[in-house]
Amino acid sequence: MEEIKSASSSLLASYFKDTPKSLKLIDSYMVYVLLTGLIQFVYVVIAGTFPNNAFLAGFISTISAFVLAANLRMQTNPKNASQFPTTSPERAFADFLACNLVVHFAVANFLG
Amino acid sequence: MSAETTSTVARVLKPTILILIAVVAIASRLFSIIRFESVIHEFDPWFNYRTTQHLVKNGFYEFWNWFDEKSWYPLGRVVGGTVYPGIMVTSALIHNVLHFFNFPVDIRNVCVFLAPMFSGLTAFSAYLLTKELKDSSAGLLAAAFLGVAPGYISRSVAGSYDNEGIAIFLLVFTFYLWIKAVKTGSAFFGLLTALFYFYMVSAWGGYVFITNLVPLHVFTLLLMGRYSNRLYVSYSTFYAVGTLLSMQIPFVGFQPTRTSEHMAALGVFGLIQLFAFAELVRGYVSPKQFKTLLRSGIVAVGAVSVVGLTLLSLSGVIAPFTGRFYSLYDTGYAKIHIPIIASVSEHQPTAWTSFFFDLQMLIFLFPAGVYLCFKELKDEHVFIILYSVFASYFAGVMVRLMLTLTPVVCVSAAIAYSTLLDTYLEKSEHVLASNLKGIQAQSSVTDTPASNTPATTTTEAKAGGKKAAGKGTPAKTVTKAAESESKTHAKTHSDKKRYPIFNWDSRAMVIVQLTWFLFMFAWHCTYVTSGSYSSPSIVLASRQADGSQVIIDDFREAYYWLRKNTKEDAKVLAWWDYGYQMAGMANVTTLVDNNTWNNTHIATVGKAMATSEEVSYEVLRQHDVDYVLVLFGGVIGYSGDDINKFLWMIRIAEGVYPKEVKEVDFFTPRGEYKVDHEATPTMKNSLMYKMSYYRFAELYGGNAVDHVRGARMPAEGPTLSVLDEAYTTENWLVRIYKVKDLDILGRDLKDATAFEKGKVRKTSLLKRK
């Protein structure tokens, strides 16, 4: 237990020290999206899934927003540059926008 | 030729070859049109054709909300919500675009030619897929193979307007995009994969194959310790976007969140999130601390997921597997539990000969290609290996799934074939010259068996045997060359030490044989396509003793009769096989059709066929039936007729009405299925038997022989009292009966008929007793 504590504290410390600002921005967005998703989930557990398509549309929209932001984070992380030789940060952002466009088009259609 | 001119020539040649392949692929599917005419084939295509007509005529909105009251009388069917609309929308789109540019093409011709057109695209996507795995020459081979492979042609000849016609293109293209996405780690390709996956979902129920294969690929890569950020990007984009898009199809609806078929994808999605998170944490802490964090993380996640899964399955949120799915894993399942699935011939297990019949030489090149994939074993090769393993298994379970196996067989056979060509056609002779000394020793060994073998190739078996004999030593050389190649992989090209085969005789022997195989393959494909897969099945052709062709057009004759001679809302009862055709061609109301969504309703029709006239008359009256239609092949020997399907009707009816219909009663005491004088009383009294053999004996003056079952029929045929014969086609293939109204004097219909025939005394005698 003690080990875990020290490990996680060093994790946090090095996170705040070593992460570029743009990535922190993305991370905060991801945390926000995660919380939105959690709120929806808790609501569904309490109130039931009645308009199931509306719930799914909302919930999946948060999931895909989270995942797409994670993609963006990975592709723009300078540490990962060698893994994505064909993807520049600008390209990554364009992909991010395109995916979000498609997802939210479907979400709007599915809300019912 | 310098290297530059070669590449210029190749740049021109490749598109030309691809276009030619597409032309060949389309042309080889046109046999049925040339022999017969431009008609829609078989059963399901007639439904697709009918809905497409509706879509073109009334627009998309009407189509989406279409409630079809002409099928499944009296229940009706919500068409918009129970179809995969992909193929209809595709052809309506093509039709509208052509009309926009003032090409007045009939929708029927769009439908007839859709599958051949898409087969050209399929060949092209096979090229792209194989190019990602090996190189463009293998790609061209794969395109050529897939263009003409009978396993794919069987479902995509002109007129076979069915979902598979476009779905195979979508399958191959989605896989190509997926591999591209994994290779580049681009979210854009992930998005494209998801979009084409959506198109696939809208087109064919076989999309489940993609939903399971792609996650399986990811899962295997994770197990192999090959997690990469590229994998994360491609899979999570594909899954998140693809799942949401697939739920837009009403027929799929919420299934991706409920049924077990889709759960693997979800699980892998969760897993890869955890992997990505762990990877992120690993970047920030020391290895030792990472280990402790990882261990505690695994324990926490494991506990949560076990509790969650137990709760979900206990509360019944996760739906059980569907029957069609079970029958994939346990081949006996359908036969025991769901006769309606087992009764469809394309759901039967595959006979081993049909592998060779459908794929010819590809089937023995296939394992070699898979082996070569194992040797490379990059991420994309793992995919092909998984695809081949699972597709082979499923193709063995269900005849129909031969279709999903064919692309991977073509791809890996192309890899094997092109590797052979690469080895034996090594063109760089300067490389040879520089390595000549090193090879000298080996070449002397290679020479001996090659020159000893005689050069004539007569039969295939001989050729195969000789190949094995002649190849003994060269094969060794190949392996050595490959080994050394892999060893020096990192070095530059000029350093590469290769030991190609350079004696012209040993080269020629292999090359000539391979070319010979290609010729055989093309010949076999054409033969199979023209012989077995090009019959429209609504028009039959047979040859007479003098070799002249006779066209048997009874189906259309009967349907046309129905269309012209019955009132508009006439209800026609027939076995479900003919439902779509009747709706499409005769425009009558049907009780059951090939959709088979309501087993009870089908069983009711089966009961009407399998019970005696009195019982069945009640069923007919209850369902407002005006006409009953049966197929009878006894005159011309057409074996797919209703008497041969009768056992399935009985089985399905027995499943729902076990008291009224019993399968045992239709077998003689010796357990035989007989229609002649040995037939059981139940059999002789059943409506199906009576309708089939009514006045059959008269046709031959009391000496009738059923040509399908080879049975000599009794001189006195069955009598009918509740039905009137309305129409029988030229070759007796289709017989239509009109259901009699209730007797105006309130008598039993049996008595009334007997009275008309002048047998009053007998009946009244019986009654007095």
Side-chain angles (χ1 to χ4, degrees), chain A residues 3-4 6-8 10-11 14-15 18-19 52-53 56 60 63-64 66-68 70-71 73-75 79-80 83-84 86 91 95 98-99 102-103 106-107 109-110, chain B residues 184-189 191 195 227-230 232-234 236-237 240-241 243-245 247-248 253-254 257-258 269 273 276 280-281 283-285 289 292-293 296:
Chain A
E3 271 175 44
I4 295 174
S6 74
S8 30
S10 77
L11 168 69
S14 65
Y15 171 78
D18 294 344
T19 317
N52 201 1
N53 52 342
L56 282 178
I60 292 179
I63 289 182
S64 24
F66 181 84
V67 165
L68 294 175
N71 289 349
R73 191 190 191 285
M74 279 176 185
Q75 290 178 337
K79 273 189 207 160
N80 293 341
Q83 293 183 36
F84 296 99
T86 54
R91 170 69 194 266
D95 286 356
C99 292
V102 172
V103 165
V107 165
N109 181 40
F110 205 45
Chain B
T184 58
S186 137
F188 179 67
F189 273 105
L191 178 70
L195 283 174
Y227 169 81
S228 69
N229 287 331
R230 288 193 298 273
Y232 176 85
V233 171
S234 45
S236 44
T237 316
V241 183
T243 310
L244 182 63
L245 285 175
M247 286 198 279
Q248 311 302 310
F254 299 137
T257 60
R258 296 253 170 84
F269 179 68
Q273 304 298 327
L280 183 72
V281 171
Y284 286 112
V285 292
Q289 285 174 322
T292 37
L293 282 178
S296 51

Side-chain angles (χ1 to χ4, degrees), chain B residues 138-347:
Chain B
L140 288 175
L141 277 169
F145 288 160
L146 190 53
V148 294
Y152 174 40
I153 285 187
S154 66
R155 289 314 188 111
S156 61
V157 291
S160 168
Y161 178 55
D162 212 346
N163 295 334
E164 290 93 331
I166 67 169
I168 292 304
F169 158 66
L170 293 170
L171 187 83
V172 179
F173 201 68
T174 313
F175 285 156
Y176 157 68
L177 288 171
W178 165 247
I179 280 177
K180 193 88 185 159
V182 172
K183 269 181 135 178
T184 58
S186 137
F188 179 67
F189 273 105
L191 178 70
L192 282 185
T193 317
L195 283 174
F196 269 87
Y197 170 68
F198 168 64
Y199 193 6
M200 173 77 182
V201 174
S202 78
W204 194 36
Y207 78 89
V208 178
F209 189 58
I210 301 182
T211 344
N212 284 302
L213 194 63
V214 168
L216 188 74
H217 179 216
V218 175
F219 187 64
T220 315
L221 289 180
L222 290 182
L223 284 187
M224 290 165 80
R226 289 202 184 177
Y227 169 81
S228 69
N229 287 331
R230 288 193 298 273
L231 192 65
Y232 176 85
V233 171
S234 45
Y235 183 64
S236 44
T237 316
F238 161 71
Y239 182 74
V241 183
T243 310
L244 182 63
L245 285 175
S246 71
M247 286 198 279
Q248 311 302 310
I249 306 293
F251 194 31
V252 176
F254 299 137
Q255 277 183 43
T257 60
R258 296 253 170 84
T259 53
S260 311
E261 288 106 296
H262 300 82
M263 280 303 132
L266 182 63
V268 171
F269 179 68
L271 196 66
I272 203 167
Q273 304 298 327
L274 297 179
F275 262 83
F277 189 69
E279 204 64 17
L280 183 72
V281 171
R282 192 208 289 273
Y284 286 112
V285 292
S286 65
K288 203 181 157 220
Q289 285 174 322
F290 177 69
K291 228 177 222 172
T292 37
L293 282 178
L294 186 67
R295 209 173 293 145
S296 51
I298 286 174
V299 170
V301 169
V304 167
S305 52
V306 165
V307 170
L309 276 181
T310 330
L311 279 180
L312 280 179
S313 44
L314 278 184
S315 58
V317 175
I318 301 175
F321 290 92
T322 50
R324 228 173 272 234
F325 194 63
Y326 266 131
S327 60
L328 278 183
Y329 290 109
D330 176 9
T331 36
Y333 180 84
K335 211 170 265 173
I336 304 162
H337 300 281
I338 329 166
I340 192 118
I341 290 180
S343 74
V344 180
S345 62
E346 61 185 23
H347 290 164

Side-chain angles (χ1 to χ4, degrees), chain B residues 368-679:
Chain B
V370 175
Y371 168 73
L372 289 169
C373 282
F374 263 110
K375 257 171 107 174
E376 287 272 326
L377 213 63
K378 288 193 208 132
D379 292 356
E380 57 268 26
H381 296 104
V382 175
F383 182 77
I384 291 298
I385 292 165
L386 288 172
Y387 182 6
S388 52
V389 169
F390 280 85
S392 317
Y393 175 70
F394 290 135
V397 174
M398 247 189 221
V399 177
R400 180 152 96 130
L401 295 178
M402 197 63 156
L403 201 59
T404 52
L405 175 68
T406 308
V408 74
V409 169
C410 291
V411 167
S412 49
I415 292 175
Y417 197 96
S418 114
T419 311
L420 272 175
L421 285 187
D422 285 351
T423 316
Y424 285 89
L425 280 180
E426 185 78 73
K427 60 179 181 289
S428 48
E429 271 154 40
H430 53 282
V431 178
L432 288 184
S434 66
N435 290 332
L436 200 58
K437 275 177 198 164
I439 302 166
Q440 210 80 57
Q442 272 174 338
S443 66
S444 60
V445 186
T446 336
D447 251 358
T448 350
S451 48
N452 282 350
T453 329
T456 45
T457 46
T458 39
T459 62
E460 214 180 314
K462 249 189 181 175
K466 239 181 274 163
K467 191 183 169 191
K471 248 184 85 179
T473 351
K476 231 185 227 169
T477 335
V478 180
T479 355
K480 268 191 189 160
E483 265 172 26
S484 68
E485 191 185 343
S486 61
K487 269 180 201 161
T488 55
H489 205 277
K491 291 183 190 171
T492 47
H493 187 71
S494 57
D495 282 351
K496 223 180 238 179
K497 259 201 169 176
R498 306 186 62 161
Y499 299 96
I501 321 297
F502 70 108
N503 295 68
W504 70 269
D505 49 357
S506 49
R507 279 184 180 204
M509 216 171 56
V510 176
I511 297 302
V512 165
Q513 264 173 13
L514 284 180
T515 320
W516 172 249
F517 281 155
L518 272 192
F519 278 116
M520 289 295 288
F521 176 66
W523 184 81
H524 175 85
C525 290
T526 319
Y527 161 76
V528 170
T529 309
S530 97
S532 315
Y533 291 140
S534 290
S535 158
S537 94
I538 56 164
V539 186
L540 307 170
S542 75
R543 297 212 173 270
Q544 291 203 311
D546 61 351
S548 62
Q549 198 179 27
V550 188
I551 298 284
I552 296 164
D553 207 356
D554 282 33
F555 295 109
R556 291 198 293 175
E557 183 190 344
Y559 295 138
Y560 196 70
W561 185 88
L562 275 176
R563 192 184 191 99
K564 290 291 172 192
N565 294 286
T566 59
K567 56 185 196 291
E568 208 173 304
D569 63 340
K571 287 105 198 157
V572 182
L573 179 137
W575 190 235
W576 61 262
D577 294 17
Y578 323 113
Y580 280 162
Q581 288 187 349
M582 283 199 297
M585 281 189 261
N587 196 28
V588 292
T589 307
T590 56
L591 271 82
V592 290
D593 63 31
N594 311 47
N595 187 228
T596 66
W597 64 274
N598 189 327
N599 189 40
T600 313
H601 215 53
I602 292 178
T604 311
V605 172
K607 180 187 159 191
M609 297 291 196
T611 47
S612 65
E613 281 187 273
E614 293 84 1
V615 182
S616 118
Y617 186 63
E618 261 177 41
V619 178
L620 297 178
R621 294 295 303 183
Q622 276 165 3
H623 290 86
D624 299 342
V625 176
D626 298 304
Y627 294 92
V628 185
L629 180 145
V630 285
L631 256 67
F632 176 63
V635 177
I636 53 159
Y638 174 72
S639 63
D641 68 350
D642 275 342
I643 290 281
N644 275 0
K645 290 177 186 169
F646 194 30
L647 273 178
W648 287 113
M649 304 184 201
I650 296 163
R651 268 172 216 159
I652 292 169
E654 192 181 5
V656 179
Y657 305 101
K659 279 188 188 148
E660 283 142 300
V661 185
K662 288 194 187 70
E663 192 183 342
V664 195
D665 295 344
F666 291 87
F667 287 105
T668 58
R670 277 188 296 166
E672 287 166 316
Y673 182 67
K674 286 273 187 186
V675 292
D676 49 14
H677 61 273
E678 285 179 56

